[in-house]
Amino acid sequence: MSAQDKSGVVHVYDGIEELDNHLPNWWLFILWLTVCFGFGYWYYFHTTGEGRGSLEVYRAEAAEAARLAEARKPKPDSDAGLMLLVQDKGLVDEGQLNFQQTCAACHGLKGEGIIGPNLTDNQWLHGGKPTDIHKVVNEGVLAKGMPSWEKVLGPQRVRAVVAYVLTLKNTNVPGKPPQGEPEK
Ligand code: HEC
């Protein structure tokens, strides 16, 4: 019996038939699909540079998340940013030291006021918002005898001293009587 007598039989040995049937179409379909996918994958990820690997995607997402977190942080010299500094005890202590050295001569050791107004009441000549206080300390009120501290202290120490002044609010240390408008 020749090998091709019976369809699909290519080899018979000791009555055992070896078949060479056509592969089922569904199987071939999957095979070619896989091959095509393989080419597509190679082309997309390794040739064009279009496709981004999972590590690259992860890095991009992490960078975006970091950017968003940074954007959500209040700006350093905004009301919210300055109020955040008040929670930093080290910075407030540094501000207190600066206050005692540079401000106390006019505002008193506890901010109770001498030549300068009492900073411990809730009345303000130039507003009691963190940004108002920051502005007065930075720019001064030169005509009224309050110096500008921007150049003397630099931005970081101005922030520290403002953070300290914010802790004095409403501590009502007896001293110079309140001046200006009550803070709303
Ligand atoms: C040479 C004296 C002098 C020194 C030193 C001084 N101040 Fe003043 N400060 C004044 C005077 C005077 C005023 C009131 C200005 C006015 O009448 O408009 C004032 C106003 C202020 C106000 C606004 C108060 C309000 O009612 O609105 C703040 C806040 C303030 N000073 C903080 C500081 C800080 C902080 C320092 C130290 C870094 C400092 N000052 C140093 C004299 C001084």
Side-chain angles (χ1 to χ4, degrees):
M1 182 167 81
S2 101
Q4 292 300 323
D5 279 357
K6 246 163 98 185
S7 85
V9 178
V10 290
H11 190 231
V12 181
Y13 187 82
D14 257 1
I16 298 169
E17 297 174 346
E18 184 186 338
L19 307 180
D20 182 18
N21 288 329
H22 282 297
L23 290 159
N25 283 340
W26 64 262
W27 193 93
L28 284 171
F29 177 73
I30 291 172
L31 172 71
W32 290 114
L33 199 69
T34 314
V35 169
C36 289
F37 176 82
F39 268 111
Y41 186 93
W42 165 77
Y43 185 72
Y44 186 63
F45 281 101
H46 295 280
T47 311
T48 60
E50 268 307 299
R52 298 187 305 162
S54 42
L55 188 61
E56 226 178 308
V57 171
Y58 165 75
R59 286 200 179 120
E61 281 174 6
E64 176 65 6
R67 196 187 61 74
L68 283 178
E70 193 58 38
R72 268 195 300 272
K73 267 196 208 158
K75 301 269 172 299
D77 294 336
S78 66
D79 284 330
L82 291 165
M83 283 317 288
L84 215 59
L85 298 182
V86 176
Q87 293 162 20
D88 183 342
K89 186 157 186 322
L91 189 94
V92 171
D93 287 349
E94 189 196 318
Q96 178 171 23
L97 208 69
N98 280 307
F99 187 89
Q100 288 166 351
Q101 288 163 357
T102 29
C103 322
C106 294
H107 288 283
L109 255 186
K110 294 195 172 111
E112 70 277 17
I114 305 172
I115 307 166
N118 192 328
L119 302 175
T120 66
D121 51 41
N122 79 333
Q123 283 181 232
W124 300 87
L125 292 163
H126 302 281
K129 277 194 310 190
T131 42
D132 295 332
I133 295 173
H134 185 265
K135 185 167 188 281
V136 172
V137 175
N138 235 356
E139 300 171 12
V141 189
L142 301 180
K144 298 282 175 65
M146 163 69 180
S148 155
W149 296 101
E150 189 175 15
K151 296 236 166 60
V152 184
L153 297 177
Q156 197 48 37
R157 277 189 292 173
V158 164
R159 275 179 210 130
V161 96
V162 168
Y164 173 66
V165 170
L166 286 168
T167 66
L168 297 179
K169 248 190 201 183
N170 302 323
T171 55
N172 295 310
V173 181
K176 216 176 176 195
Q179 293 164 271
E181 299 290 313
E183 193 187 356
K184 280 150 218 123

